[in-house]
Amino acid sequence: MTSVRVACQQIAPVAGDLEGNRRLAREGVRDAVAAGAGLVVLPELCTSGYVLESAEEARSLAQPAHGGALAEWAEAAGDAVVVGGFAELGDDGRTYNSAAVVDRSGVLAVYRKAHLWDREKLLFAPGDAVSPVIDTRAGRIGVLVCYDVSFPEPVRSLAMRGADIVAVPTNNSHFPRPDDDQLAIEIALTRTQAYFNRVYVAFCDRAGSERGVDFLGGSAIAGPEGWSLTPERIGEPALLLADCDLDRARDKDWTERNHAFGDRRPELYEGVGARVH
Amino acid sequence: MTSVRVACQQIAPVAGDLEGNRRLAREGVRDAVAAGAGLVVLPELCTSGYVLESAEEARSLAQPAHGGALAEWAEAAGDAVVVGGFAELGDDGRTYNSAAVVDRSGVLAVYRKAHLWDREKLLFAPGDAVSPVIDTRAGRIGVLVCYDVSFPEPVRSLAMRGADIVAVPTNNSHFPRPDDDQLAIEIALTRTQAYFNRVYVAFCDRAGSERGVDFLGGSAIAGPEGWSLTPERIGEPALLLADCDLDRARDKDWTERNHAFGDRRPELYEGVGARVH
């Protein structure tokens, strides 16, 4: 058994406060590592904040994929791996909503969010690369960002390429909900994505509010049979921890007769690869 | 606005009791129609019961896709459409775990479950056909059965081919759960499948127990934004009703900038079409 303690560090960044956000993330990583975490997930865009007014503001808050806040995550990581969202200034001069995988040796990989939500389309360029599976000291990690997991295909793709844990920096706004007694759809979908693929999904949301937008604070870590390993209602800043046995994510057998991937019938899934404009 | 009242008639069939099960289904359809249902969904294998001992027993309880219990559903349907699971004796002499779409004119379509769970592989032949989208007086209906929806692809396929409502006859056994306070994964996944595709999903489970197996009684009807339209904990036999506006399922726009299908990036979903053995 290879057990990894996974942390979602649900902090509350502030739009435009680069210094304050760096401190929040740095201290958040340190606290999670002190609590035994081998993998620490931070929210989406935790360097810049989320509610940005213009492409110019987003660009002014962006940083390259090396140095800056990411160097601080590496310094604070100890033996852990850190996955966190940041506003990236690309080599190509474009601004991306990205997530980095970092350990003490530096940046292992950068993923650029491929599915942009609403006004993000005005602020960021979409990523154009397949999200890689990264072999780390905390297992085989896949990375997606927020709205990417509103589609079943990206997690499916990562799991079929061998990911044990899918780390998802996210920012969920607290939009009106029909029924406050229902489990948030974001958590239901985190659990379901884990279940479909028999992987761990670490969905790290943020708390707080920015420029009139309240955030849900709905982080969750779900296990390979689709159950939450963490409390279901958070709201406030919090450190969520769950011990994850990677062998369980590598066993795709539901029963002696059922394999989560082997039972698929791709020849019957007519139209799922279609492009829709 | 085209509103359809959808019913899940969560009955408790009994293994081997063909006559009793016919009565339960017939009366169940009548009661749902009397309550205003335009679409009535019955559980999986509601003609035969679920916990069958052998292929011989399954075959002895199977019926052709016309006549028998299905003729009774048609008789009881009034202006409604009925989707229900039954043990089918195929023209090819094989036994299938099937679901029929029926209205007063008779059988509109039969779908044979393509993903068989556990011992079903000993009892039934798997379906080999794409599940069709059926244009009915209750909207464009897609049909899947139980374990079929433990995969994201079949619902995705139906929704991309125009289904408004995916009707899912199911039988969920009440297996040990890590935490009884958590929403059943079956309901979380029903909500998530609806959310991914902005469709209605009517998941009709069964109640009761058979030969030592207890059933969950976890039916749910979820709407296009992923929220349950029905209570989350049932257990006992019950009639669940929800009024479903089909126009909402035909609108795939999340925001003025986001379309549930148009935002997909199929070129980035590496490996999702792979066959795994």
Side-chain angles (χ1 to χ4, degrees):
Chain A
M1 172 173 148
T2 310
S3 186
V4 174
R5 183 164 293 176
V6 176
C8 286
Q9 184 54 278
Q10 180 171 287
I11 55 179
V14 173
D17 183 6
L18 287 174
E19 279 312 306
N21 293 340
R22 277 168 79 143
R23 192 185 63 247
L24 277 178
R26 188 171 66 229
E27 292 175 357
V29 172
R30 260 186 215 139
D31 290 348
V33 170
L39 173 66
V40 184
V41 189
L42 297 167
E44 182 180 11
L45 291 176
C46 73
T47 56
S48 57
Y50 184 79
V51 185
L52 307 179
E53 296 193 343
S54 64
E56 293 65 37
E57 187 184 23
R59 168 178 300 263
S60 76
L61 296 168
Q63 67 149 78
H66 295 266
L70 278 59
E72 296 183 0
W73 304 352
E75 267 176 51
D79 291 331
V81 173
V82 179
V83 177
F86 72 109
E88 182 192 0
L89 184 60
D91 289 343
D92 57 5
R94 306 177 84 182
T95 314
Y96 295 96
N97 180 339
S98 295
V101 183
V102 168
D103 71 8
R104 62 182 167 202
S105 72
V107 174
L108 305 178
V110 171
Y111 165 72
R112 293 168 171 171
K113 185 176 184 179
H115 306 82
L116 296 176
W117 177 252
D118 205 9
R119 291 190 71 258
E120 295 171 25
K121 294 190 179 189
L122 309 179
L123 306 178
F124 300 103
D128 278 323
V130 173
S131 182
V133 176
I134 304 130
D135 212 339
T136 75
R137 63 181 71 210
R140 299 192 295 245
I141 309 293
V143 179
L144 296 166
V145 179
C146 198
Y147 183 51
D148 286 334
V149 295
S150 289
F151 305 82
E153 294 89 351
V155 180
R156 186 61 124 189
S157 170
L158 286 165
M160 290 188 69
R161 288 183 282 124
D164 303 314
I165 305 173
V166 179
V168 188
T170 189
N171 278 187
N172 296 328
S173 64
H174 197 166
F175 58 84
R177 287 152 196 271
D179 176 352
D180 271 341
D181 291 336
Q182 286 194 33
L183 179 67
I185 183 61
E186 296 89 340
I187 297 183
L189 84 84
T190 297
R191 291 179 49 191
T192 301
Q193 296 263 29
Y195 169 85
F196 282 150
N197 297 292
R198 292 184 65 91
V199 291
Y200 292 93
V201 178
F203 184 77
C204 186
D205 195 12
R206 59 161 290 168
S209 61
E210 281 181 1
R211 298 173 175 173
V213 175
D214 293 330
F215 291 92
L216 178 66
S219 299
I221 304 172
E225 296 187 348
W227 302 97
S228 285
L229 305 174
T230 48
E232 289 188 344
R233 284 167 179 276
I234 313 291
E236 298 305 305
L239 174 62
L240 281 72
L241 297 167
D243 291 324
C244 299
D245 172 4
L246 302 187
D247 292 339
R248 287 186 54 213
R250 292 172 188 184
D251 171 10
K252 304 300 183 188
D253 289 323
W254 285 113
T255 71
E256 61 180 309
R257 300 183 183 89
N258 292 101
H259 185 279
F261 296 162
D263 279 350
R264 294 169 68 250
R265 306 284 305 274
E267 71 280 12
L268 302 181
Y269 305 151
E270 187 177 311
V272 298
R275 213 177 275 272
V276 176
H277 296 284
Chain B
M1 171 170 148
T2 310
S3 186
V4 174
R5 183 163 293 177
V6 176
C8 285
Q9 184 54 277
Q10 181 172 287
I11 55 179
V14 173
D17 183 7
L18 288 173
E19 278 312 305
N21 293 341
R22 277 168 79 142
R23 194 186 62 249
L24 277 178
R26 187 172 68 229
E27 292 175 358
V29 171
R30 259 185 215 139
D31 290 349
V33 170
L39 172 66
V40 184
V41 189
L42 297 168
E44 181 181 11
L45 291 176
C46 75
T47 56
S48 58
Y50 184 79
V51 185
L52 307 179
E53 294 193 345
S54 64
E56 292 65 38
E57 187 182 24
R59 169 178 300 261
S60 75
L61 296 168
Q63 68 149 79
H66 295 268
L70 278 58
E72 295 183 2
W73 304 352
E75 267 176 52
D79 290 331
V81 174
V82 179
V83 177
F86 71 110
E88 181 192 0
L89 184 61
D91 290 343
D92 56 6
R94 305 177 84 182
T95 315
Y96 295 95
N97 180 340
S98 296
V101 183
V102 169
D103 72 7
R104 64 183 167 203
S105 73
V107 174
L108 304 179
V110 172
Y111 164 73
R112 293 168 172 171
K113 185 177 185 178
H115 307 82
L116 296 176
W117 176 252
D118 205 8
R119 290 190 72 258
E120 294 171 25
K121 293 190 180 189
L122 309 179
L123 305 177
F124 300 104
D128 279 322
V130 173
S131 183
V133 175
I134 305 130
D135 213 341
T136 75
R137 63 181 69 211
R140 299 191 295 244
I141 309 293
V143 179
L144 296 168
V145 178
C146 198
Y147 182 51
D148 286 334
V149 295
S150 290
F151 304 82
E153 294 90 351
V155 180
R156 185 61 124 188
S157 169
L158 286 164
M160 290 189 69
R161 287 183 283 124
D164 303 315
I165 306 174
V166 179
V168 188
T170 189
N171 278 186
N172 296 328
S173 64
H174 197 166
F175 60 84
R177 288 152 195 270
D179 177 350
D180 271 342
D181 290 337
Q182 286 194 33
L183 179 66
I185 182 62
E186 295 88 340
I187 296 182
L189 84 84
T190 296
R191 291 179 49 193
T192 302
Q193 297 263 28
Y195 169 85
F196 282 150
N197 298 292
R198 293 183 62 92
V199 291
Y200 291 93
V201 179
F203 184 78
C204 185
D205 195 12
R206 57 162 291 168
S209 61
E210 279 181 2
R211 299 174 175 173
V213 175
D214 293 331
F215 291 93
L216 178 67
S219 298
I221 303 171
E225 297 186 346
W227 301 97
S228 285
L229 305 174
T230 48
E232 288 188 343
R233 286 169 177 275
I234 312 293
E236 298 304 306
L239 173 62
L240 280 73
L241 297 166
D243 290 326
C244 300
D245 172 4
L246 302 187
D247 292 339
R248 288 187 52 215
R250 292 172 189 183
D251 172 9
K252 304 300 184 188
D253 288 323
W254 285 114
T255 71
E256 61 181 308
R257 299 184 183 90
N258 292 100
H259 185 279
F261 296 162
D263 279 349
R264 294 169 68 250
R265 305 284 305 276
E267 70 280 12
L268 302 182
Y269 305 151
E270 187 178 311
V272 298
R275 212 177 276 272
V276 176
H277 296 286

